[in-house]
């Protein structure tokens, strides 16, 4: 049995691409002097975004799809938009790629690039899938954005709508699901759908409509870490990573970022940060160093397993997105 948990979104198609992916064509951090070993583990993905590991080591990827076929009517402030059911959740195991959920909502410009659709995915120990869909009301008549639960072997369906939220990332925390609202909040969704605000964030980037929260990860200390991005109206290096302890105001954990796409903690106790064009490691006192800045074109999501990082690339590309594995060695 499947049920929709949370429904939302209010931004335009173009703004939603920015909020979901954090993709802004900004200059990446300085190159490392040598590049760690890497391997492509999957290709042929449609606008791939967030990814996660399942209980048996299998990798799951949220594909935003390629929009729809046929007529692409113009939408206010969004241009021509092709809506359809081309989004998917794809499992990668032992080099084999298989779509375990398909026909999910998707909207894109003609041609299928820069799609809006499934943006993040997590898997429970029992194999249930939670994933976020971020779409624009003006890009789809039924506005199917939200947090979905899909039990093994079932198709998801929407059930509830909540005004004013724009979920772009999800994290499993015990029996709760933590959802990032790109507009400035971290919310908790309890097993029966009860929603509680965990933290709201300062409106320091409100001057830039392209600014948004993008990602969340749980640290080894039990706190939640939330990434943000800035847009072209603010200088580069103004984005922050926030540390959140429930019941307390968020505090700044690290600064000096521009486009935080995703976050992940590694077994070595370090926080890894995916920016537009670079993978960084955050060390003591929030200082960060480049792990790699080569070949990460338009990255969309990050997951860490053992001594490797897994990154989706070409997250705004139809049919040519990929997942690469990078050995976690910082080069100086």
């Amino acid at each position: 049995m499947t049920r929709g948990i949370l429904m939302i979104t209010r931004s335009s198609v173009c703004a939603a691409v920015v909020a979901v992916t954090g993709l802004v064509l900004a200059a990446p951090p300085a190159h490392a002097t040598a590049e760690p070993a890497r391997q492509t583990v999957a290709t042929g993905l449609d606008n791939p975004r967030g990814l996660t590991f399942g209980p048996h080591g299998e990798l799951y990827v949220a594909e935003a799809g390629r929009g729809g076929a046929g007529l692409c009517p113009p939408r206010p402030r969004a241009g021509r938009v092709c809506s359809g059911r081309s989004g998917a959740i794809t499992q990668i195991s032992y080099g084999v790629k298989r779509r375990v959920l398909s026909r999910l909502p998707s909207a894109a410009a003609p041609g299928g690039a820069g799609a809006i659709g499934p943006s993040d995915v997590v898997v429970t120990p029992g194999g249930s899938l939670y994933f976020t869909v971020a779409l624009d009301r003006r890009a789809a008549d039924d506005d199917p954005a939200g947090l979905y639960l899909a039990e093994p072997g079932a198709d998801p369906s929407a059930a509830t709508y909540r005004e004013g939220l724009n979920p772009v990332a999800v994290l499993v925390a015990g029996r709760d699901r933590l959802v990032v609202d790109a507009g400035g909040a971290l919310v908790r969704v309890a097993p029966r759908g009860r929603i509680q605000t965990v933290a709201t964030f300062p409106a320091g980037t409100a001057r830039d409509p392209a600014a948004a929260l993008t990602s969340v990860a749980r640290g080894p200390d039990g706190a939640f870490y939330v990434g943000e991005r800035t847009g072209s109206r603010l200088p580069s290096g103004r984005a922050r990573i926030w540390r959140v302890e429930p019941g307390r105001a968020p505090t700044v954990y690290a600064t000096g970022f521009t486009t935080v796409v995703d976050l992940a903690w590694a077994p070595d106790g370090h926080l890894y940060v995916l920016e537009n064009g670079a993978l960084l490691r955050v060390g003591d006192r929030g200082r960060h160093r480049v792990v790699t800045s080569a070949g990460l074109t338009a990255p969309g999501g990050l997951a860490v397993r053992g001594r490797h990082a897994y990154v989706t690339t070409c997250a705004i590309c139809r049919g040519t997105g990929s997942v690469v594995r990078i050995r976690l060695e910082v080069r100086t």
Side-chain angles (χ1 to χ4, degrees):
M1 178 181 180
T2 13
R3 55 192 174 92
I5 303 293
L6 178 67
M7 295 293 297
I8 40 345
T9 203
R10 279 295 189 187
S11 55
S12 71
V13 168
C14 292
V17 171
V18 171
V20 172
T21 66
L23 297 174
V24 172
L25 298 181
H31 281 248
T33 57
E35 291 297 331
R38 70 179 63 212
Q39 177 186 6
T40 299
V41 299
T43 58
L45 301 173
D46 287 331
N47 292 274
R49 306 287 162 75
L51 68 170
T52 191
F53 282 95
H56 305 294
E58 67 277 34
L59 189 63
Y60 292 85
V61 181
E63 291 186 79
R66 54 177 66 185
L71 297 177
C72 303
R75 303 277 180 168
R77 291 181 287 175
R80 294 180 62 202
V81 176
C82 309
S83 298
R85 290 277 172 174
S86 57
I89 304 297
T90 296
Q91 181 193 86
I92 302 166
S93 181
Y94 297 103
V96 178
K97 185 176 62 176
R98 179 173 70 95
R99 284 182 169 170
V100 294
L101 286 175
S102 59
R103 294 188 55 77
L104 303 181
S106 178
I116 312 298
S119 58
D120 199 13
V121 58
V122 293
V123 187
T124 68
S128 298
L129 294 173
Y130 283 88
F131 61 95
T132 53
V133 172
L135 284 178
D136 185 85
R137 177 183 291 278
R138 286 159 292 190
D141 294 335
D142 56 356
D143 191 17
L147 174 66
Y148 290 81
L149 165 63
E151 302 288 3
D155 290 329
S157 60
T160 329
Y161 174 80
R162 285 190 64 87
E163 184 77 18
L165 296 179
N166 183 11
V168 294
V170 59
L171 170 72
V172 171
R175 298 179 68 238
D176 296 325
R177 311 298 174 250
L178 277 296
V179 175
V180 173
D181 170 12
L186 180 66
V187 300
R188 177 184 287 112
V189 182
R192 295 189 177 183
R194 180 173 177 268
I195 297 172
Q196 177 187 9
T197 299
V198 176
T200 56
F201 296 82
T205 57
R207 292 169 293 164
D208 189 338
L213 301 179
T214 61
S215 47
V216 60
R218 193 172 194 178
D221 57 356
F224 302 110
Y225 292 79
V226 177
E228 67 179 8
R229 62 166 307 281
T230 56
S232 58
R233 295 188 184 181
L234 292 178
S236 61
R238 291 289 186 90
R240 299 155 290 189
I241 295 173
W242 297 88
R243 183 178 183 272
V244 178
E245 291 185 67
R248 298 185 178 183
T251 58
V252 176
Y253 176 73
T255 61
F257 305 95
T258 298
T259 308
V260 177
V261 176
D262 206 354
L263 308 171
W265 285 87
D268 64 7
H270 286 99
L271 176 64
Y272 287 84
V273 179
L274 182 64
E275 278 214 296
N276 182 41
L279 178 63
L280 312 177
R281 187 179 77 173
V282 179
D284 296 337
R285 300 179 182 179
R287 291 174 294 192
H288 39 87
R289 302 170 66 185
V290 175
V291 176
T292 181
S293 57
L296 299 183
T297 303
L302 169 67
V304 172
R305 182 175 176 84
R307 300 182 66 180
H308 291 88
Y310 293 75
V311 177
T312 54
T313 65
C314 209
I316 54 174
C317 305
R318 166 181 170 170
T320 57
S322 65
V323 177
V324 296
R325 182 174 65 187
I326 302 165
R327 186 169 179 83
L328 292 177
E329 296 175 346
V330 175
R331 307 286 183 165
T332 58

